[in-house]
Amino acid sequence: LIEKLNKVITKRFLKFLDEEAKNRADAYHEFYAEFGIFLKEGAAIDFSHKDQLAKLLRFESSLTEKGKTTSLADYVSRMGSEQKEIYYLIGPNRAAIESGPYLEGFKARNLEVLFCYEPVDEYVMNSLREFDGKKIAAADHADVKLSDLPKPEGALSDDEVKALTKWLKDMLGERVAEVKASDRLVDSPALALNADKFMSPHMRRMMKAMNREGADSPLRVHLEINPRHGIIKKLSTSHTADPDKAKLVAEQLLDNALISAGLLEDASAMVARLNQLLERV
């Protein structure tokens, strides 16, 4: 009897919340700000009501104003016909996400990205996996593929890119799994993408904080470079003309990308390298 009551009451309450979200959006926004964490917990672990709970989730996004939220259903309604995935980014706040390099490629293609600020959000997204037939994907993962943009003027040639990426891979060695020209970057010189399918940067930081097994495994990332950025073009010239300085710049470029990804664990080597670079100014 208790089990039956539980099912009936839960079903009715979720229906009530859905109606409130549609008919009294402002009141629901206030309710969600206070109790949304419990709806997220339910969406992640209550498989019987996962679909209903997913409809009740709210997130800020790259298309909403600060403080305004959107639902997964509204996100899907705005998707273009060729978009197959719902994208999200995890960060401490909106400013951190918008100032990072991972949003650039999506904004250039007018692709909406959900902003996730709470530690539980990654677990929720990984548990949901999809919504309304659309796969949910982290926008900062190496597996995400974006459509081609027109090649910008002033960019390195294909041969120059090939030579530079090969040099970078050889020079950086085991620190990077792959180096290639980026289809995501617009204004930033480089970014680091997680090469581990099973442990995101956010999850790695959490496991490290809890001293969990696997958190100290060697870090390897995909490094993507922006062929039209001034730093990359200078590096393309200097890696043959001044290889010693180019090596310092390349290592600093990778560490800068790791900082943006929240993956730089020891900054002591970076500080020493910066001092060497400043001596060359």
Side-chain angles (χ1 to χ4, degrees), residues 213-232:
E213 184 179 351
D216 293 322
S217 58
L219 174 66
R220 295 182 74 210
V221 297
H222 295 281
L223 180 66
E224 295 192 0
I225 61 173
N226 183 354
R228 73 172 181 178
H229 197 279
I231 293 176
I232 301 302

Side-chain angles (χ1 to χ4, degrees), residues 81-270:
S81 57
E82 295 184 357
Q83 185 178 343
K84 306 301 181 185
E85 297 175 313
I86 297 171
Y87 301 111
Y88 70 91
L89 280 172
I90 293 177
N93 51 59
R94 187 183 186 103
I97 294 176
E98 290 185 326
S99 63
Y102 299 97
L103 195 60
E104 294 177 9
F106 295 88
K107 290 179 67 175
R109 295 167 175 83
N110 197 33
L111 295 172
E112 185 174 8
V113 179
L114 299 174
F115 295 164
C116 301
Y117 309 135
E118 296 182 313
V120 72
D121 285 339
E122 182 176 20
Y123 178 58
V124 173
M125 293 304 199
N126 287 335
S127 298
L128 288 178
R129 296 189 179 181
E130 66 174 41
F131 178 84
D132 196 17
K134 307 293 184 181
K135 181 182 176 183
I136 298 175
D140 58 354
H141 200 278
D143 286 346
V144 171
K145 305 299 180 185
L146 298 177
S147 60
D148 293 332
L149 290 174
K151 189 173 182 178
E153 295 182 5
L156 296 176
S157 67
D158 292 341
D159 289 341
E160 289 172 322
V161 168
K162 184 177 180 180
L164 180 59
T165 52
K166 182 181 185 305
W167 177 80
L168 282 168
K169 178 66 181 79
D170 293 341
M171 197 280 299
L172 295 172
E174 291 299 316
R175 295 189 69 192
V176 292
E178 180 185 20
V179 181
K180 68 175 184 178
S182 179
D183 57 7
R184 305 169 185 243
L185 292 171
V186 178
D187 300 316
S188 300
L191 60 74
L193 296 169
N194 184 31
D196 190 339
K197 292 184 178 181
F198 306 103
M199 189 184 298
S200 70
H202 178 70
M203 186 66 68
R204 184 184 181 91
R205 291 193 298 272
M206 289 182 62
M207 292 183 66
K208 197 170 185 66
M210 295 185 292
N211 294 318
R212 296 293 295 274
E213 184 179 351
D216 293 322
S217 58
L219 174 66
R220 295 182 74 210
V221 297
H222 295 281
L223 180 66
E224 295 192 0
I225 61 173
N226 183 354
R228 73 172 181 178
H229 197 279
I231 293 176
I232 301 302
K233 290 193 284 187
K234 287 183 179 180
L235 186 59
S236 176
T237 302
S238 65
H239 86 273
T240 53
D242 189 353
D244 291 337
K245 181 179 180 180
K247 181 177 183 296
L248 294 175
V249 171
E251 291 176 338
Q252 187 61 44
L253 199 68
L254 174 58
D255 279 354
N256 289 350
L258 292 176
I259 290 174
S260 294
L263 288 171
L264 188 66
E265 297 169 350
D266 184 2
S268 57
M270 185 191 73

Side-chain angles (χ1 to χ4, degrees), residues 61-93:
S61 87
S62 54
L63 296 186
T64 66
E65 298 176 7
K66 183 178 180 180
K68 301 294 184 181
T69 59
T70 186
S71 66
L72 292 172
D74 287 340
Y75 179 106
V76 171
S77 71
R78 293 189 290 266
M79 289 173 60
S81 57
E82 295 184 357
Q83 185 178 343
K84 306 301 181 185
E85 297 175 313
I86 297 171
Y87 301 111
Y88 70 91
L89 280 172
I90 293 177
N93 51 59

